[in-house]
Amino acid sequence: MSQRKYFGTDGVRGEVGGATINPEFALRLGYAAGQVLARQHNPIRGRPTVVIGKDTRISGYMLESALEAGLSAAGVDVLLAGPVPTPAVAYLTRALRLAAGVVISASHNPYQDNGIKFFSAQGMKLPDEVEEQIEAAIDQPLGCVGSEALGRARRIDDASGRYIEFCKSTFPNELDLSGMKIVVDAAHGAAYQIAPHVFRELGAEVFPIGCQPDGFNINEGVGALHPEAMAAEVQKRGAHIGIALDGDADRLQMVDQVGRLYNGDELLYAIVRDRLTQGEVAGVVGTLMTNFGFEKRMKAMGIGFDRAKVGDRYVLESMLQKGWLYGGESSGHLLCLDCHTTGDGIIAALQVLTAVRRSGESLAEAVGDLKMYPQEMVNVPLQPGTQWETHPGLSEAKARVERELNGRGRVLIRASGTEPKLRLMVEAEDMQLAQDGVRELVAVDLTKR
């Protein structure tokens, strides 16, 4: 894959008014994407059509209008879904047999940021070669098809309703949520009009928070980034479960009735354990950060396990390569490919609730036989040009710690992707063992070989 100028691992993202997240760039991006999609489109199917969804950031209006104009200038029809979760755009793209889907969101970032990413007609990330073609076209002169070929734009009035029904369809017909009190925190984001309805229509008594967006408060003190707000509301309401989503609703955090927080590894375990009662589970994909206890538990259950690089994109790639259905990150990005083509916070929550309703257990009981290993992590400064991967002192220290652990934990050393630091992590059966291991790694002087 060639070096990208604009696209990162999750589309284009940045601060509003910066080099890429501005109206001129969005116009060019829309036109470039429209040209590429139009070339690939089979004319027998009529004019190519794209759906645009967004979260609740104030800048979404501006970027939506610019993208719409660029796509129309390239001869592409546009459907405007309004504020909907990122996975809703993936669903609508597939359900309506569209050429592509576009999401305007910066996920868990503050309102000052925004981003633009694309889904293919299959509801998955665009192939690399298509992204590369779009990149190449962005810097070309802006043009416009003839008036008779301009794209039209219209709003989808029932986008939210369609997606609510789709989410509910992933919950077993023989089960319901009657008698359950659930706090639903939408982070003042894209799911604010959707998430409460999904759980309420399945029978739960819902207490919504984070459902009053004003364009500026997305992710602010609520949602998956700040689960303490949800936990406090659960205690206040005497609820059974709390569900917190992030700004674009592709990430999940949950708490139980006593306010205990469950991370992505634990929630994924609850789902996999339930699926195993219904049939075979071939394997599960985690990341480099997935808890060692999860890996050991999968092995004990006879389930394959693989670690991908950090990022839900890499988890999905590994799942597709192996033909496995379940995967996720500790942060709460969970994928169930038997339900959806992409990570979906609402649907993941429904699968966890399926597990507890089907078994009659509490969430704590559903994950009770998963022993999470204590983790100690330290970030150390990394000088530019330091070849830490081949540093003999670090390699020797890592080998010593692994011998001391003797299968009772693991060592992970990786460079930060955002700052000049090296992350040194040890997981072990007890915290003292993990701390001793990290101390041994930190003692290595990376400036000397």
Side-chain angles (χ1 to χ4, degrees):
M1 186 173 65
S2 62
Q3 184 67 34
R4 300 297 183 87
K5 183 177 179 182
Y6 300 117
F7 282 86
T9 57
D10 204 28
V12 181
R13 188 178 293 188
E15 188 172 359
V16 176
T20 54
I21 305 302
N22 61 67
E24 180 187 1
F25 182 84
L27 178 67
R28 289 183 168 279
L29 177 58
Y31 182 68
Q35 284 186 303
V36 171
L37 294 170
R39 283 200 300 268
Q40 297 178 342
H41 187 70
N42 185 341
I44 295 175
R45 298 181 59 197
R47 196 193 303 271
T49 304
V50 167
V51 61
I52 300 178
K54 60 183 180 180
D55 64 24
T56 55
R57 294 162 214 268
I58 188 71
S59 56
Y61 296 99
M62 172 185 76
L63 297 172
E64 179 185 57
S65 296
L67 282 166
E68 176 194 331
L71 288 161
S72 176
V76 175
D77 285 347
V78 178
L79 301 178
L80 302 171
V84 292
T86 289
V89 175
Y91 162 69
L92 290 168
T93 303
R94 280 192 306 129
L96 298 174
R97 309 300 191 269
L98 305 179
V102 186
V103 177
I104 303 169
S105 175
S107 189
H108 56 272
N109 288 25
Y111 83 91
Q112 294 93 338
D113 295 337
N114 217 330
I116 302 167
K117 70 176 180 180
F118 294 81
F119 283 111
S120 70
Q122 291 73 42
M124 294 187 173
K125 179 189 172 292
L126 280 184
D128 288 332
E129 58 269 21
V130 177
E131 280 193 355
E132 288 168 5
Q133 290 174 38
I134 294 173
E135 279 224 338
I138 289 173
D139 293 327
Q140 299 302 311
L142 197 63
C144 184
V145 299
S147 295
E148 71 286 351
L150 286 171
R152 299 172 181 269
R154 65 179 176 87
R155 297 212 166 266
I156 313 177
D157 295 328
D158 61 347
S160 294
R162 284 173 176 265
Y163 179 61
I164 287 169
E165 290 305 313
F166 170 64
C167 290
K168 288 162 54 184
S169 75
T170 69
F171 192 77
N173 286 331
E174 68 273 16
L175 300 177
D176 61 44
L177 300 177
S178 59
M180 289 196 79
K181 295 181 178 180
I182 300 178
V183 171
V184 176
D185 182 350
H188 298 308
Y192 81 101
Q193 298 181 96
I194 291 173
H197 289 290
V198 171
F199 300 99
R200 188 176 290 126
E201 290 179 20
L202 287 170
E205 183 180 357
V206 174
F207 302 99
I209 65 172
C211 293
Q212 296 178 301
D214 61 11
F216 306 99
N217 60 358
I218 189 169
N219 299 311
E220 187 179 320
V222 290
L225 284 184
H226 304 281
E228 61 275 7
M230 162 190 59
E233 191 71 10
V234 165
Q235 298 286 286
K236 174 184 172 184
R237 300 287 188 174
H240 300 98
I241 291 281
I243 295 167
L245 308 169
D246 67 346
D248 68 336
D250 66 352
R251 178 173 165 183
L252 170 70
Q253 297 274 281
M254 294 180 73
V255 300
D256 64 14
Q257 69 272 17
V258 298
R260 186 206 154 184
L261 182 67
Y262 295 79
N263 72 8
D265 295 344
E266 294 170 299
L267 299 177
L268 180 58
Y269 176 74
I271 295 170
V272 171
R273 179 175 174 264
D274 172 69
R275 291 299 203 271
L276 202 56
T277 67
Q278 306 301 302
E280 183 184 355
V281 176
V284 178
V285 177
T287 74
L288 295 174
M289 298 303 294
T290 298
N291 193 277
F292 187 59
F294 185 96
E295 179 179 350
K296 290 198 74 170
R297 189 65 195 139
M298 290 298 104
K299 189 175 294 185
M301 296 166 73
I303 297 173
F305 179 75
D306 188 50
R307 292 182 185 271
K309 289 192 292 184
V310 174
D312 55 341
R313 168 189 177 177
Y314 302 113
V315 173
L316 178 59
E317 285 178 359
S318 179
M319 291 169 68
L320 293 173
Q321 287 169 3
K322 295 179 179 298
W324 293 352
L325 296 177
Y326 310 105
E329 298 188 273
S330 306
S331 60
H333 289 108
L334 305 180
L335 294 106
C336 301
L337 295 187
D338 53 352
C339 296
H340 202 353
T341 57
T342 189
D344 188 313
I346 295 174
I347 287 177
L350 287 173
Q351 305 320 298
V352 175
L353 291 171
T354 295
V356 299
R357 293 303 263 187
R358 184 140 52 197
S359 67
E361 297 173 320
S362 67
L363 188 49
E365 290 169 336
V367 303
D369 48 3
L370 171 64
K371 181 190 175 187
M372 297 289 280
Y373 277 42
Q375 179 188 99
E376 181 75 3
M377 184 165 70
V378 173
N379 295 323
V380 297
L382 191 63
Q383 299 300 319
T386 301
Q387 300 297 311
W388 62 269
E389 300 99 325
T390 57
H391 191 285
L394 189 59
S395 298
E396 291 166 10
K398 181 174 184 285
R400 280 197 305 274
V401 173
E402 287 176 336
R403 283 196 299 272
E404 291 161 7
L405 290 172
N406 192 26
R408 295 174 295 160
R410 71 183 181 112
V411 179
L412 176 65
I413 302 173
R414 72 183 186 98
S416 167
T418 57
E419 51 189 347
K421 291 182 178 179
L422 192 65
R423 306 198 193 286
L424 308 173
M425 187 195 81
V426 177
E427 285 178 337
E429 284 181 341
D430 64 77
M431 181 56 85
Q432 188 61 54
L433 200 56
Q435 291 172 339
D436 291 345
V438 166
R439 268 194 295 271
E440 196 158 345
L441 297 174
V442 171
V444 175
D445 187 349
L446 293 174
T447 64
K448 298 177 182 178
R449 295 185 72 86

